[in-house]
Amino acid sequence: MEPIAIVAGLAVLQVFLFAFQVGQQRVMHGINAPATTGHPEFERAFRVQQNTVELLVAFLPGLFLFGFYVNALIGSAIGLVFIVGRFIYRTAYMRDPKRRSVGFGLSAVATLVLVLGGMIGAIISLL
């Protein structure tokens, strides 16, 4: 389970990085908290962070379920796809929000595979 814990830690650190980048955009564009609107660059960074947090709620349990009931190394590899997908998503979204689909797709599919795979593994373990 160590690989799963490492990937989970990396995903959480990624969220911290995205939150830090939102803070940088706040300062750069003079947007004081608690405002969530303002300059388009700030709004895009904020949406990237929020969308990542929203998906993390499903990703982390899925990662641990898959690691426990199926295979920790395979689950970790799929988890890395999620993390890479989030970086692709962020890069694309910051340039042009309409081009975010590939990154979102990678991270969403990775999450779905982890959740469904973990659930199937749990069900099979009952049989």
Side-chain angles (χ1 to χ4, degrees):
M1 290 295 285
E2 290 83 5
I4 293 292
I6 292 167
V7 171
L10 289 172
V12 171
L13 288 174
Q14 185 180 52
V15 171
F16 275 107
L17 173 64
F18 290 172
F20 178 76
Q21 291 169 337
V22 170
Q24 287 179 314
Q25 291 292 327
R26 278 189 186 282
V27 170
M28 186 182 311
H29 299 293
I31 300 167
N32 296 321
T36 58
T37 59
H39 193 279
E41 282 184 345
F42 163 75
E43 290 178 6
R44 289 192 299 267
F46 182 75
R47 281 306 308 144
V48 166
Q49 183 221 5
Q50 290 302 302
N51 185 267
T52 301
V53 168
E54 291 164 4
L55 201 50
L56 200 67
V57 171
F59 169 74
L60 286 176
L63 178 67
F64 281 97
L65 284 169
F66 195 99
F68 186 79
Y69 288 108
V70 181
N71 183 288
L73 286 177
I74 294 171
S76 298
I78 297 168
L80 290 174
V81 170
F82 170 89
I83 292 169
V84 169
R86 291 281 90 193
F87 279 120
I88 293 169
Y89 175 83
R90 184 199 181 284
T91 301
Y93 201 104
M94 291 303 292
R95 289 185 185 148
D96 179 5
K98 294 176 187 167
R99 302 188 72 186
R100 69 191 188 276
S101 299
V102 171
F104 179 80
L106 282 172
S107 51
V109 168
T111 300
L112 191 59
V113 168
L114 290 170
V115 171
L116 292 176
M119 290 174 60
I120 291 168
I123 292 166
I124 290 171
S125 76
L126 289 173
L127 303 176

